[in-house]
Amino acid sequence: MRAAIGDRLHVHGNTVGAPDKVGEIVEVRGADGGPPYMVRFEDGHTGLVFPG
């Protein structure tokens, strides 16, 4: 996966009934747009994401 700052990331809930999370990539820490990504989610939470 390759991403750039400003791209949107959609994370599906991992259990039945868990809501999906959508966030904006604010920092790319991997080489050539690779993970990990610092993501600011719609609820204001910011976290490091390793999609896979």
Side-chain angles (χ1 to χ4, degrees):
M1 177 177 176
R2 292 177 193 243
I5 294 172
D7 286 352
R8 306 287 289 173
L9 184 68
H10 187 133
V11 180
H12 294 284
N14 60 355
T15 59
V16 174
D20 292 352
K21 296 173 103 179
V22 177
E24 178 183 354
I25 295 175
V26 294
E27 183 180 344
V28 177
R29 294 192 176 181
D32 296 323
Y37 308 116
M38 186 63 69
V39 179
R40 182 182 311 116
F41 292 98
E42 292 176 334
D43 65 359
H45 171 82
T46 301
L48 195 58
V49 177
F50 294 82

